[in-house]
Amino acid sequence: MIYTLTFNPSVDYVMHPSSLNVGRTNRSSSEEYYAGGNGINVATILTELNVATVAMGIIAGFTGTFVVEALQRDGINCNFVELASGYTRINVKLNGADMTIINGMGPNIPISKVDELFQRLDRIGEGDTLVLTGSIPSCLPDDMYDIMMSRFGDRGIRFVVDAPGTLLMKALDAKPFLIKPNNHEVGALFDADPETPEEVLPYAHQLHDKGAQNVLVSCGGEGAALVDADGNEHTTITPPTRLVNATGAGDSMVAGFLAAVDRGMDYADALQFAVACGSATAASSGLAKAGTIERFYETLKSITK
């Protein structure tokens, strides 16, 4: 079973203004609402790929209720801790000529609710996977992922970490099964400016040497690179993609890689399937559907023979 954890989920309110003029009234031509959050995105793609998963995290208020109900409508198993006060945040995404995003802060999370979440996580054991992805609310310690992996680290659990900066680096001592920074996040870690899969490989090796078993680095339209658990290098391009919505593309790659590994694919094919998942989401108005993913995967295989 794959469990995903989202400490700070959201209601993503996407608006489509024809223009955006600061200080003036702007109008949207249409709007959509989605249950958002990195772990939720991973769980959504895994469910679409028929991989058994449970979405976990912390919710609050009527916005939290919306998140759970939206996930359940999509057939996603949920196990969220509910706060007594506050509201799950709303992220406003203005999708016009350029994407402008305003992310809400989210509720204050008392330690007692973190303890309740940990108690629910106690069911995870040998052979399960726990996906830790996204930022941590400012009310919690910035090494929360490291704390969790230390607590559950002796159970034979596969840990996956997709997080920025210090949060990622502090997690490496626990030897996570997979990490997935993008090329810009890698550049920030090493004071560099890698753009292509080939350029990120030396830094991926350093992250591998520091403890990560598999290091998957996305490079936007340039493709992606993987240093696998055996230290071998793999790179791939992206299939031809018309960008519609980049939100969730990285999370889709995480889900795709895990689904591919669970299907028994080798690492080279798992990388291509992960990139197909990310590209399919980038080409969709929301998270990708299974048919779109398979179509992108077949296209990628055909152009990289």
Side-chain angles (χ1 to χ4, degrees):
M1 180 72 74
I2 298 178
Y3 297 84
T4 70
L5 181 61
T6 308
F7 271 109
N8 206 7
S10 65
V11 176
D12 286 352
Y13 180 29
V14 183
M15 308 178 74
H16 299 270
S18 57
S19 62
L20 184 60
N21 299 305
V22 177
R24 304 185 66 178
T25 298
N26 298 273
R27 299 190 183 279
S28 174
S29 60
S30 61
E31 301 85 33
E32 302 99 40
Y33 304 85
Y34 301 100
N38 299 96
I40 285 172
N41 293 340
V42 174
T44 301
I45 294 293
L46 287 171
T47 301
E48 185 67 23
L49 295 171
N50 294 316
V51 177
T53 186
V54 178
M56 303 184 70
I58 297 176
I59 58 167
F62 74 96
T63 46
T65 299
F66 170 86
V67 167
V68 172
E69 290 179 348
L71 295 178
Q72 290 175 335
R73 283 196 301 271
D74 289 338
I76 299 169
N77 295 316
C78 299
N79 188 353
F80 284 85
V81 172
E82 186 171 2
L83 303 182
S85 61
Y87 301 94
T88 291
R89 62 183 176 155
I90 298 175
N91 294 340
V92 179
K93 303 186 176 187
L94 306 175
N95 194 357
D98 295 303
M99 175 72 84
T100 301
I101 300 174
I102 305 173
N103 286 345
M105 177 64 72
N108 184 63
I109 302 173
I111 293 300
S112 62
K113 289 298 182 178
V114 176
D115 290 340
E116 182 180 341
L117 179 62
F118 279 14
Q119 290 169 12
R120 299 190 186 197
L121 287 167
D122 275 335
R123 72 180 60 189
I124 302 177
E126 182 78 29
D128 290 328
T129 299
L130 178 58
V131 180
L132 306 170
T133 180
S135 60
I136 296 294
S138 58
C139 57
L140 298 178
D142 64 1
D143 60 347
M144 178 56 74
Y145 290 164
D146 184 47
I147 292 171
M148 296 181 69
M149 288 189 288
S150 296
R151 172 166 175 157
F152 301 111
D154 61 350
R155 301 187 181 187
I157 298 170
R158 293 191 311 184
F159 294 106
V160 176
V161 180
D162 182 7
T166 301
L167 199 58
L168 176 65
M169 296 304 289
K170 287 185 176 181
L172 296 181
D173 286 343
K175 295 180 171 49
F177 172 73
L178 172 69
I179 63 171
K180 199 223 68 66
N182 61 41
N183 60 305
H184 301 299
E185 291 167 337
V186 167
L189 290 173
F190 294 99
D191 192 24
D193 191 25
E195 293 292 335
T196 67
E198 292 74 19
E199 289 172 348
V200 302
L201 279 171
Y203 307 109
H205 274 290
Q206 291 188 54
L207 293 168
H208 180 269
D209 292 342
K210 290 178 183 294
Q213 296 177 47
N214 293 283
V215 182
L216 172 59
V217 184
S218 57
C219 301
E222 297 290 335
L226 172 69
V227 174
D228 69 29
D230 299 317
N232 298 319
E233 298 179 352
H234 310 273
T235 62
T236 188
I237 61 174
T238 57
T241 306
R242 184 178 71 85
L243 180 62
V244 174
N245 168 40
T247 300
D251 304 321
S252 299
M253 288 184 67
V254 171
F257 186 85
L258 293 175
V261 170
D262 282 358
R263 289 180 182 181
M265 292 185 185
D266 62 28
Y267 284 125
D269 287 339
L271 172 62
Q272 289 200 324
F273 191 75
V275 169
C277 288
S279 299
T281 285
S284 304
S285 58
L287 295 173
K289 298 299 183 181
T292 306
I293 290 170
E294 293 296 338
R295 186 167 66 252
F296 270 78
Y297 179 53
E298 292 302 322
T299 297
L300 185 55
K301 286 198 300 182
S302 69
I303 62 179
T304 56
K305 285 182 178 179

